[in-house]
Amino acid sequence: MTNEYRPIFNRKYLVGLVWFSLIAILILSSMGPGAVEYHDVDSNDSQTLYWMELDDQPMQLVFLLATQPALNTTQQQLQQLKSLILQQRLRALASPTYSYNVTPRQDRIEVTLSWANEQPAPALNRIWQALSKPVDASRWREPLKKIQARDYLAEQSAEQTLVNRFYQQLQPADDTSVLNLLGPSYAELFTAPLFAISGEDAEDYVELIEQQLPQTLRPTGLSYPDSQPAALLRENSPDKTFRLLLGQTLPPRASDSFITHRISAQVIQDLLNKYQDQHNLKFRILWASLKHIGFQALILEGDQNPGPILPQLQQQVNEELVEQSQNRLAGIWQERMRDNMNQVAALSLIAFYQLPTDTMETYIDQLLDQDPDDIIKQTQRALDASQPISIIQSPVL
């Protein structure tokens, strides 16, 4: 007698299971990832210290040291040299209880101290005193030569030469050498510091930081570049390529119009991504919004002069494109803020640029609430050949 085989799951059951699985997948995919948890940002009364509580995270304290914009070659090399001095002085204080990092930015240098929750805080007053000692510029002649040699090799490309010309127009350099600027420039790092701390029980460190680090916010006395309208600069291209740079200054980071300009830059990028193949173009956008100034440069590169196609590109800027760019920026921000370390980086920006403490959670609403007409006008202006700083490189015929 043979036993009849009966499957555990019959056909109807399997079909139903498949359909249930498909429906579940569709529902879950439509829900998308969960809402972002934005951590609260607080500041002390003088707004010199900002903090963020992060459970189960090590402590991270950032010294935010303001500098002049590091745009032209002199200021860039000065920024690198000051960062190197800070690194060497921190290395001399090395301790197994904390780690450090020095990061030069275009308008500041960030000194980051990190330590585990169970470790005591570093001796902040001792570290500050060691970092802020006057500099003997003559000792830094050889390190500067190495920085200058690296810069020389990096600046040989035609495009980088064009970028440097833009920065020189934006921030004209005088004849003062880097070493002669070093002493006073290094001392300026410590005239108006700002601080950001994050980690578990970050608020518990506020009093300690206020006691051991300077907390009086004073004017820096730094000067900042201001570009003036100028005629189109014409140069010979080192190869058979046309390059057109359209540059302008923008408002600083804390200005009310920052969001409009940020969206406009994204619109230009999305527009050129869409039409660069049609017009046989390569492009690059330099964009920054710093403490006291912002700037934008659009570089177009092709086998023919890109100037004549600018009116065509202007006509393609419409509300649909603006909305796509707004949504793209909002989506990028939301995804970035899912990572706590990106929120820590945003904390430093909030502290340095003196932004509202709820900036992280309101940023998307600001992006989506901007008037499309304002963005369209700003984008079309940026695609106009009559920019304050315009440079064209043409092949020699």
Side-chain angles (χ1 to χ4, degrees):
M1 177 176 166
T2 60
N3 293 327
E4 181 183 358
Y5 171 73
R6 294 189 179 186
I8 298 176
F9 303 117
N10 60 38
R11 187 170 181 272
K12 289 184 178 180
Y13 181 89
L14 291 173
V15 170
L17 182 62
V18 169
W19 278 106
F20 175 81
S21 300
L22 290 173
I23 293 171
I25 290 172
L26 289 173
I27 292 174
L28 290 174
S29 62
S30 66
M31 292 172 61
V36 176
E37 178 188 356
Y38 291 101
H39 299 281
D40 292 336
V41 175
D42 294 292
S43 68
N44 60 357
D45 293 338
S46 63
Q47 293 186 312
T48 54
L49 171 61
Y50 289 69
W51 66 89
M52 176 194 294
E53 301 259 342
L54 287 174
D55 294 338
D56 302 320
Q57 294 295 320
M59 304 307 304
Q60 179 171 295
L61 173 62
V62 185
F63 299 177
L64 299 160
L65 309 176
T67 69
Q68 288 197 30
L71 304 182
N72 64 39
T73 300
T74 298
Q75 291 297 329
Q76 289 175 1
Q77 292 175 355
L78 192 58
Q79 199 84 325
Q80 294 178 63
L81 192 56
K82 289 184 290 188
S83 300
L84 182 60
I85 294 170
L86 291 167
Q87 288 175 336
Q88 292 203 6
R89 290 184 172 183
L90 284 166
R91 190 177 301 125
L93 297 170
S95 167
T97 63
Y98 69 90
S99 60
Y100 65 86
N101 189 49
V102 178
T103 307
R105 308 290 188 186
Q106 282 189 306
D107 58 356
R108 65 193 183 279
I109 298 176
E110 297 179 359
V111 176
T112 303
L113 305 178
S114 304
W115 64 94
N117 294 326
E118 64 272 10
Q119 293 286 353
L124 301 178
N125 183 263
R126 177 169 171 259
I127 292 172
W128 185 262
Q129 289 180 352
L131 294 181
S132 58
K133 288 188 303 184
V135 169
D136 179 2
S138 63
R139 295 183 53 195
W140 298 93
R141 193 177 306 278
E142 290 305 314
L144 175 60
K145 288 181 179 179
K146 294 179 180 179
I147 291 173
Q148 291 173 331
R150 288 197 300 268
D151 286 352
Y152 176 79
L153 293 175
E155 292 172 359
Q156 296 309 299
S157 71
E159 183 179 301
Q160 190 58 47
T161 300
L162 189 61
V163 170
N164 290 341
R165 289 281 292 175
F166 167 66
Y167 283 145
Q168 289 165 7
Q169 293 291 315
L170 194 65
Q171 185 184 35
D174 56 29
D175 295 330
T176 308
S177 70
V178 173
L179 287 180
N180 286 340
L181 292 171
L182 179 58
S185 178
Y186 188 83
E188 285 175 348
L189 290 174
F190 306 95
T191 58
L194 293 160
F195 307 97
I197 185 168
S198 61
E200 191 166 15
D201 301 323
E203 188 173 5
D204 294 347
Y205 289 87
V206 170
E207 184 176 353
L208 174 68
I209 294 170
E210 289 180 326
Q211 290 173 350
Q212 296 199 25
L213 296 174
Q215 292 296 311
T216 302
L217 186 59
R218 300 184 298 276
T220 64
L222 299 176
S223 59
Y224 298 91
D226 182 20
S227 66
Q228 300 296 325
L232 175 68
L233 299 177
R234 297 184 179 275
E235 300 179 348
N236 291 332
S237 174
D239 49 31
K240 296 181 179 181
T241 302
F242 286 87
R243 295 178 185 85
L244 174 63
L245 183 148
L246 304 177
Q248 60 179 310
T249 56
L250 301 178
R253 175 59 183 88
S255 69
D256 293 336
S257 59
F258 163 79
I259 297 291
T260 297
H261 288 89
R262 180 64 191 93
I263 298 171
S264 174
Q266 185 65 46
V267 172
I268 292 173
Q269 180 172 324
D270 292 342
L271 174 67
L272 291 172
N273 278 331
K274 184 177 181 181
Y275 289 101
Q276 64 176 340
D277 291 338
Q278 176 181 333
H279 295 291
N280 195 24
L281 278 178
K282 294 181 181 179
F283 74 93
R284 177 181 176 187
I285 298 177
L286 303 175
W287 192 93
S289 191
L290 308 178
K291 185 90 170 182
H292 295 274
I293 190 176
F295 62 83
Q296 175 176 295
L298 170 62
I299 302 172
L300 299 172
E301 180 179 310
D303 296 333
Q304 297 180 345
N305 184 357
I309 70 167
L310 293 175
Q312 301 175 43
L313 294 174
Q314 288 176 313
Q315 293 175 5
Q316 302 300 323
V317 182
N318 52 42
E319 287 195 19
E320 181 181 0
L321 179 61
V322 167
E323 183 179 356
Q324 291 173 356
S325 299
Q326 287 174 297
N327 291 333
R328 187 186 309 279
L329 282 174
I332 291 171
W333 180 258
Q334 186 175 43
E335 287 307 307
R336 281 182 56 79
M337 291 302 104
R338 293 188 189 283
D339 186 335
N340 282 341
M341 290 303 97
N342 287 332
Q343 292 200 29
V344 171
L347 169 68
S348 292
L349 296 179
I350 290 171
F352 184 71
Y353 295 119
Q354 304 285 275
L355 303 177
T357 54
D358 63 350
T359 294
M360 277 191 288
E361 52 203 291
T362 62
Y363 186 63
I364 288 179
D365 289 337
Q366 294 178 51
L367 287 170
L368 300 179
D369 289 345
Q370 295 302 303
D371 186 342
D373 289 339
D374 292 341
I375 299 168
I376 291 172
K377 290 176 183 177
Q378 170 57 33
T379 306
Q380 290 176 335
R381 280 196 296 268
L383 292 169
D384 193 311
S386 59
Q387 293 296 306
I389 303 174
S390 299
I391 309 170
I392 186 167
Q393 291 181 342
S394 305
V396 178
L397 300 178

